[in-house]
Amino acid sequence: MIVVADASPLNYLIHIGCDTLLRDLYGRVFVPGAVLAELRHPSAPLTVGSWAAHIPSWIEVRAVAVQADAALDALDPGEREAIQLAQEERAGLLLIDEKRGRLEAKRRGIATTGTLGILVTAGSRGLIDAEAVFQQLVSTTTFRATPEVREAFFKLLRGIEG
């Protein structure tokens, strides 16, 4: 399955030292150039910038071939390119957190999951203690989720454990 990543899930997973979950879950991940540029931005956390300067072999940077799409103008460059790359590559999954980007991807028939979905999947496969990693995520990063999203996350975890 081809998996494409936007910057947000990568940023958070790198920041908490869990980026290799993506390799363990998906094998390789495609990343468009605009996403890599976001991860290399001077304001990115030091760990993220360092990772982006020496990307692991399971990350494949891909250029987007399609022309500009006016329907994506409201999104940031990384989100735009991630959605376009997912369409071009007929990706089975797009890793993206931002609500507007997720809605546009779904409108285009692209399956999505975000940082919390990755944690649920990794937890269900016994790769991590998803609740402990979630606590690390919210206590050490700028990750935000609505109370409803948090409740859904813990409900999924309870379903896995129960």
Side-chain angles (χ1 to χ4, degrees):
M1 169 173 61
I2 294 173
V3 176
V4 174
D6 182 33
S8 181
L10 281 168
N11 176 66
Y12 289 124
L13 293 172
I14 294 163
H15 194 75
I16 62 172
C18 289
D19 58 294
T20 57
L21 288 177
L22 298 177
R23 180 201 61 212
D24 296 343
L25 293 171
Y26 310 118
R28 70 180 175 159
V29 176
F30 291 178
V31 175
V35 166
L36 190 58
E38 286 180 27
L39 297 173
R40 288 179 173 164
H41 191 275
S43 66
L46 185 58
T47 55
V48 174
S50 177
W51 182 95
H54 307 283
I55 58 172
S57 61
W58 51 269
I59 293 287
E60 189 169 326
V61 180
R62 291 278 179 109
V64 175
V66 297
Q67 298 299 321
D69 183 338
L72 300 173
D73 284 350
L75 303 176
D76 74 35
E79 293 165 356
R80 278 195 303 267
E81 284 195 11
I83 290 170
Q84 289 175 306
L85 183 60
Q87 278 189 289
E88 283 179 27
E89 297 291 340
R90 293 184 173 89
L93 188 62
L94 172 62
L95 311 177
I96 186 168
D97 284 329
E98 294 77 8
K99 184 176 183 178
R100 200 177 317 168
R102 290 170 71 103
L103 291 173
E104 182 59 28
K106 287 180 184 181
R107 187 183 74 71
R108 293 165 183 253
I110 302 167
T112 65
T113 195
T115 302
L116 295 182
I118 294 164
L119 297 184
V120 168
T121 301
S124 72
R125 295 190 186 172
L127 299 174
I128 58 167
D129 176 341
E131 189 170 335
V133 173
F134 173 81
Q135 295 305 327
Q136 179 186 9
L137 178 68
V138 297
S139 67
T140 64
T141 74
T142 59
F143 183 85
R144 295 180 307 273
T146 65
E148 295 81 14
V149 169
R150 288 175 185 239
E151 183 178 326
F153 172 76
F154 286 109
K155 184 180 271 188
L156 283 171
L157 289 183
R158 284 191 299 275
I160 293 167
E161 295 166 357

